[in-house]
Amino acid sequence: MSSEPTGSGPTGSGTDRSDGAHWRPHSTHWGAFRARTEDGALRVVPRPGDPDPSPILGNVASAVGHRARVLRPAVRRGWWEDGPGPDDRRGTDDHVEVGWDEVLDRLAGELARVRDGFGPAAIYGGSYGWASAGRFHHAQSQLHRFLNLAVGGYTRSVGSYSGAAAEVVLRHVLGPSETVSKGPVTWDQVAAHTDTVLAFGGMALKNSAVGGGGISTHVERDAMRAAAARGARFVLVGPLRDDLPAEASAEWIAVPPGSDTALVLGMLHTLVSERLHDSAFLDRYCVGWDQLVRYLDGSADGTVRDAAWAAGRTGLDPATITGLARSAARGRTLVTVAQSLQRAEFGEQPVWAAIALAAALGRIGLPGSGFVYGLGSIGHYGRRRVAVPIAALPQGTNPVRSVIPVARIADMLLHPGEQFDHDGRRLRYPHVRLAYWAGGNPFHHHQDLGRLRRAVRRLDTLVVHEPAWTATARHADVVLPSTWTIEREDIGAGPFDPVMTAMHRLADPPGEARDDYTIFSALADRLGAGAAFTEGRTAREWLAHLYGTTRAALAAAGLPAPSFDRFWEDGELALPQLPDDGGILAAFRADPESAPLPTPSGRIEIGSATVAGFGLADAPGHPAWFPPTDVPDARHPLWLVANQPATRLHSQLDFGAHSAARKVRGREVLRMHPADAAARGVDDGDLVRVANDRGACLAAVAVTDRILRGVVQLPTGAWFDPADPAAPVPFCVHGNPNVLTRDVGTSSLAQGCTGQHTAVEVARWDGPVPPVRAYEPPVPVRPARSIVDRDRS
Ligand SMILES: Nc1nc2c(c(=O)[nH]1)N[C@H]1C(S)=C(S)[C@@H](COP(=O)(O)OP(=O)(O)OC[C@H]3O[C@@H](n4cnc5c(=O)[nH]c(N)nc54)[C@H](O)[C@@H]3O)O[C@H]1N2
Ligand SMILES: Nc1nc2c(c(=O)[nH]1)N[C@H]1C(S)=C(S)[C@@H](COP(=O)(O)OP(=O)(O)OC[C@H]3O[C@@H](n4cnc5c(=O)[nH]c(N)nc54)[C@H](O)[C@@H]3O)O[C@H]1N2
Ligand SMILES: [Mo]
């Protein structure tokens, strides 16, 4: 957004009324901003004072009036005419528009039918997804509250697509406390104290620009610049040079995907054999180190995991590995692991291994040192926690016990009643008949979209609330048009950002779109729970009610506690933050007897008796190397890294101006090494077909030496656009990598998402170029009826 003229932009922190057309504050997961209408169009500028706003703000204004918006309730013809039931027409059938009252009547009846016939566990309400940044209109919270209070519960999901493998490992190794993994090392500490940042997977600014609930001040670039200027050394380990910004002046250790655990084990072997490890720290603060040493030195199973062994698995020179270990042992080293590493087969292991590395270096609990998960992967990490509570919409109680790991959705639908392992427990997939989504896009986030399509065809009913005609909406039986954030009022805030934003309404809802709250209120009414759901509050009254929690805490702390009306008028409110004191880990370092970690041993569990006790073949009781199995071979010789997009948040506003302008010939861009391109006769800007046995997609090539040879990168988020929706093996003409990725869990320990890596072949596409139809609404566009017409009819 640096290209935005600033002279005419808003100046204060709040609403600026001096020039007639008001700058109104609002917030998204990718940043707070100000907007006003100029010549009939929405003009968006970053929040004043944000030193490094995200260019993704350039997508926001495109939401207004875009043809991809859902204007009226729509139903799949087969479902509407023939009734609910498994149906192979999902994904090919057409949709027809219906009136709000008739669709809500029918949907309320269907929810009651499934609940009464099969029990509430037959309703899947996990509804994973990022939705919008506001606290009140948060779509999942609305859905969960509705299902709990009006329907009687639902099958839920645990874990996230973001970090399911890490979440399980961190809980066992450091304890079930967010402040241990996310709290201890801040960007301020990195700027002031760190000597070496060893960043596995990097810390890409495109990623840290995003944080749930919104980011008011993007601090990462300046922090890295300051650290580098002080002499800190940044080491980037990973396949892509751009995962650290120029400001970090990083050394690049290029390794192929999925090899980090081997590298870390080789480094650990070097530390031990050269006596560079900190025995005093390991004795006092850790358990299980001896087990790991036996695994490293070969006494456990005859395999010595030294630098030469690691070299064979990473493609690095053994001397590079020993050199990296020696240099890490000097001074204040911080080990970071991007979330990407664990969104892969055996993704538990690199996180656990990196903690073991930091423990061996002996600096956990010191400022700017030790281990921090996900720093730079997302804007939540590396910031001080807000010191006052921020209320969320109360969700009621879910009486249903049935639960799945979030990324096992297709398994659940395809294998009802079958058993699976999760975190040491053996569970059974429920037989789900109805899935309800609000605020997420499974045809964005899930792997192997061909398989997901087969899975959703088993449902009786798929319901989605969506602002736009995503691929999920196109597969759904009931599509209810929801407003997007700028079309309603809300409160933007998160536990790691010191600013609460009064999100003013910036635009009218398109067509007949309604807020999720309004939709659920109407459904709850039909199910006899309207008053329980709304508690008699309008949306504005809910905002004031939720705000009251923070205001009361501010007042109790003797801090300025403006009224809701005052906050709304001011546009934002500064929130106090906890001190940057290292939290639990610093206290643990000071005295592990009086401040033990919340683990079974009270220590860092380099070896975990709990995990060992699970007896899992693919996740033993200490960090271990498992070679990935979805790897390049003769037919699919290239690694594919399917990472987060720089130009948008996931699939949201893929049609937006900033996202669209960075596509080439309307396709997502695949990056490729010059040698790999030359071997295939591919030039910059060519279209290619990226394929494996699960599917194929078209993409436009960018040739670059900033990627490791043998690896190609295609970000997620281009809306799934199958050339022939009826074809069993999907061919996406737009460039969605999830037609290629494999749908298996990380391991039987965490069962996390493994979408980050797969293997593909790439070939120049000389065939006719099919049009991209992803944004064309599947129902005929007709002008919205005005409210006057509606009242007359
Ligand atoms: N291959 C591969 N796949 C991945 C990943 C990867 O690295 N590789 N990463 C994974 C990760 S980390 C994540 S978090 C997931 C993200 O997956 P999702 O969070 O599901 O992706 P989004 O595109 O953010 O989906 C949010 C949806 O909510 C809609 N929405 C926005 N606001 C509202 C609202 O107010 N109401 C309603 N009803 N809907 C709204 C948007 O239009 C959008 O369709 O993807 C995962 N998928
Ligand atoms: N712009 C933007 N930012 C986002 C998001 C978005 O959609 N858009 N999504 C947000 C969300 S929900 C999340 S969870 C985070 C995710 O944060 P991450 O998972 O960390 O993000 P990615 O971009 O998927 O991956 C970061 C980098 O890791 C590298 N990498 C991939 N595999 C490996 C590996 O095996 N080893 C090593 N060493 N490196 C590897 C890739 O080069 C990749 O560019 O991002 C958040 N930030
Ligand atoms: Mo995520």
Side-chain angles (χ1 to χ4, degrees):
M1 296 299 293
S2 49
S3 60
E4 279 287 342
T6 47
S8 61
T11 47
S13 59
T15 48
D16 171 4
R17 311 206 148 189
S18 56
D19 57 354
H22 304 161
W23 287 104
R24 283 163 291 171
H26 206 82
S27 190
T28 59
H29 296 301
W30 51 94
F33 65 93
R34 303 289 180 264
R36 70 177 179 187
T37 304
E38 290 179 2
D39 302 327
L42 194 67
R43 172 143 179 259
V44 169
V45 297
R47 173 180 178 268
D50 185 343
D52 192 23
S54 167
I56 303 179
L57 284 176
N59 290 330
V60 169
S62 311
V64 182
H66 196 275
R67 67 185 186 285
R69 296 295 303 267
V70 186
L71 300 179
R72 279 168 288 275
V75 291
R76 187 173 64 75
R77 189 184 297 279
W79 184 88
W80 190 251
E81 292 175 355
D82 304 333
D87 195 338
D88 284 347
R89 290 174 292 182
R90 274 190 198 104
T92 58
D93 212 354
D94 53 346
H95 284 81
V96 289
E97 291 182 339
V98 290
W100 270 111
D101 281 340
E102 46 181 346
V103 76
L104 292 173
D105 289 347
R106 185 87 171 254
L107 178 54
E110 172 62 359
L111 285 161
R113 179 190 76 87
V114 173
R115 174 196 55 199
D116 298 342
F118 307 101
I123 297 172
Y124 181 67
S127 186
Y128 185 81
W130 268 62
S132 294
R135 305 295 298 183
F136 173 64
H137 290 287
H138 184 248
Q140 280 80 21
S141 306
Q142 292 282 348
L143 172 62
H144 295 160
R145 178 177 171 85
F146 164 73
L147 291 175
N148 286 338
L149 298 180
V151 181
Y154 60 95
T155 290
R156 66 194 171 92
S157 59
V158 288
S160 65
Y161 277 79
S162 312
E167 287 152 20
V168 170
V169 164
L170 293 171
R171 195 161 60 236
H172 289 298
V173 176
L174 295 174
S177 166
E178 278 213 324
T179 52
V180 176
S181 48
K182 299 185 188 176
V185 180
T186 59
W187 284 110
D188 287 343
Q189 292 177 29
V190 172
H193 299 289
T194 311
D195 292 326
T196 299
V197 182
L198 196 53
F200 291 91
M203 306 190 289
L205 291 175
K206 65 145 173 103
N207 287 349
S208 55
V210 166
I215 301 276
S216 64
T217 317
H218 292 83
V219 299
E220 290 80 1
R221 191 191 300 272
D222 285 345
M224 286 192 242
R225 185 190 284 121
R230 187 178 44 75
R233 165 181 175 241
F234 286 81
V235 181
L236 163 63
V237 180
L240 245 74
R241 179 70 189 88
D242 294 340
D243 288 333
L244 274 180
E247 283 80 358
S249 312
E251 293 157 41
W252 182 26
I253 309 278
V255 296
S259 64
D260 305 85
T261 304
L263 171 57
V264 173
L265 293 172
M267 289 175 68
L268 281 163
H269 187 280
T270 303
L271 293 177
V272 176
S273 58
E274 299 187 7
R275 298 183 187 286
L276 294 170
H277 62 297
D278 187 335
S279 311
F281 183 90
L282 291 162
D283 286 348
R284 185 157 187 227
Y285 298 101
C286 305
V287 294
W289 170 250
D290 295 349
Q291 268 170 272
L292 182 58
V293 171
R294 285 195 293 279
Y295 180 71
L296 294 171
D297 70 15
S299 46
D301 59 5
T303 301
V304 179
R305 292 168 176 97
D306 58 8
W309 171 88
R313 278 140 194 92
T314 55
L316 297 173
D317 198 312
T320 303
I321 298 171
T322 49
L324 203 54
R326 288 174 197 142
S327 66
R330 283 193 297 271
R332 287 161 291 193
T333 296
L334 176 64
V335 181
T336 71
V337 173
Q339 308 212 76
S340 55
L341 271 73
Q342 54 83 63
R343 205 176 306 111
E345 218 183 345
F346 311 114
E348 294 86 352
Q349 301 308 324
V351 178
W352 203 345
I355 298 171
L357 175 62
L361 296 173
R363 294 195 154 269
I364 292 176
L366 294 175
S369 307
F371 168 81
V372 61
Y373 169 70
L375 186 71
S377 276
I378 201 162
H380 302 151
Y381 303 89
R383 289 153 190 269
R384 287 150 65 193
R385 190 174 267 274
V386 169
V388 287
I390 299 164
L393 182 68
Q395 306 206 345
T397 314
N398 184 357
V400 174
R401 305 260 314 269
S402 150
V403 60
I404 62 161
V406 68
R408 307 288 14 102
I409 167 86
D411 275 0
M412 171 185 77
L413 296 176
L414 291 167
H415 302 285
E418 283 186 22
Q419 295 191 327
F420 64 96
D421 288 311
H422 179 242
D423 200 11
R425 293 193 300 164
R426 175 137 291 197
L427 302 173
R428 202 179 279 281
Y429 289 123
H431 191 158
V432 162
R433 320 276 168 157
L434 183 152
Y436 205 132
W437 237 281
N441 185 359
F443 277 85
H444 160 74
H445 64 233
H446 200 61
Q447 287 56 65
D448 195 349
L449 293 181
R451 182 170 191 256
L452 180 66
R453 193 176 47 184
R454 291 196 293 284
V456 301
R457 287 176 173 171
R458 302 282 187 95
L459 286 164
D460 287 1
T461 298
L462 175 60
V463 189
V464 60
H465 295 191
E466 250 299 338
W469 275 108
T470 61
T472 302
R474 284 162 203 271
H475 285 79
D477 302 308
V478 179
V479 182
L480 301 181
S482 67
T483 50
W484 193 57
T485 180
I486 60 172
E487 293 138 18
R488 58 193 186 224
E489 297 178 339
D490 215 327
I491 295 173
F496 299 96
D497 194 274
V499 174
M500 181 176 263
T501 304
M503 298 165 62
H504 288 211
R505 192 174 187 268
L506 305 175
D508 291 332
E512 297 177 19
R514 294 182 180 176
D515 296 348
D516 296 294
Y517 178 62
T518 310
I519 302 171
F520 287 128
S521 302
L523 279 172
D525 253 343
R526 283 167 169 77
L527 292 162
F533 181 75
T534 65
E535 297 180 20
R537 291 193 187 94
T538 63
R540 180 54 100 84
E541 286 163 353
W542 271 106
L543 299 188
H545 175 70
L546 296 179
Y547 175 79
T549 303
T550 305
R551 186 184 184 208
L554 288 170
L559 294 164
S563 69
F564 177 77
D565 290 342
R566 179 77 242 181
F567 158 63
W568 200 257
E569 178 77 11
D570 289 350
E572 60 179 46
L573 173 67
L575 302 175
Q577 293 171 288
L578 294 177
D580 191 11
D581 61 2
I584 293 180
L585 277 183
F588 169 66
R589 182 165 186 118
D591 183 7
E593 298 303 330
S594 67
L597 287 185
T599 57
S601 62
R603 302 290 186 267
I604 298 168
E605 301 223 339
I606 294 173
S608 162
T610 309
V611 176
F614 296 160
L616 304 171
D618 52 0
H622 58 79
W625 165 251
F626 291 90
T629 61
D630 187 19
V631 295
D633 60 15
R635 288 177 54 237
H636 305 115
L638 297 168
W639 278 108
L640 172 67
V641 169
N643 63 347
Q644 307 293 45
T647 59
R648 58 189 168 258
L649 174 66
H650 314 137
S651 69
Q652 297 199 32
L653 305 179
D654 180 36
F655 52 73
H658 180 71
S659 168
R662 272 133 199 98
K663 302 198 186 208
V664 172
R665 298 166 71 186
R667 323 289 143 155
E668 204 58 36
V669 174
L670 173 117
R671 302 211 296 166
M672 188 175 212
H673 189 273
D676 294 322
R680 289 164 180 78
V682 169
D683 279 331
D684 218 49
D686 280 352
L687 290 189
V688 287
R689 182 173 176 276
V690 191
N692 62 22
D693 290 336
R694 285 176 288 275
C697 66
L698 288 186
V701 164
V703 177
T704 172
D705 61 4
R706 300 174 76 77
I707 190 166
L708 178 65
R709 187 174 177 180
V711 182
V712 293
Q713 177 237 341
L714 179 63
T716 58
W719 288 9
F720 175 51
D721 191 350
D724 171 9
V729 177
F731 174 41
C732 171
V733 303
H734 191 190
N736 186 316
N738 273 330
V739 299
L740 303 157
T741 51
R742 189 168 64 154
D743 183 13
V744 299
T746 49
S747 79
S748 51
L749 178 59
Q751 297 281 11
C753 157
T754 54
Q756 183 81 196
H757 307 148
T758 190
V760 296
E761 179 54 298
V762 172
R764 207 174 68 208
W765 177 258
D766 293 321
V769 179
V772 172
R773 290 168 306 189
Y775 314 132
E776 304 310 323
V779 291
V781 181
R782 56 180 170 89
R785 283 181 298 169
S786 72
I787 289 171
V788 179
D789 291 341
R790 218 182 303 156
D791 288 347
R792 278 201 208 104
S793 61

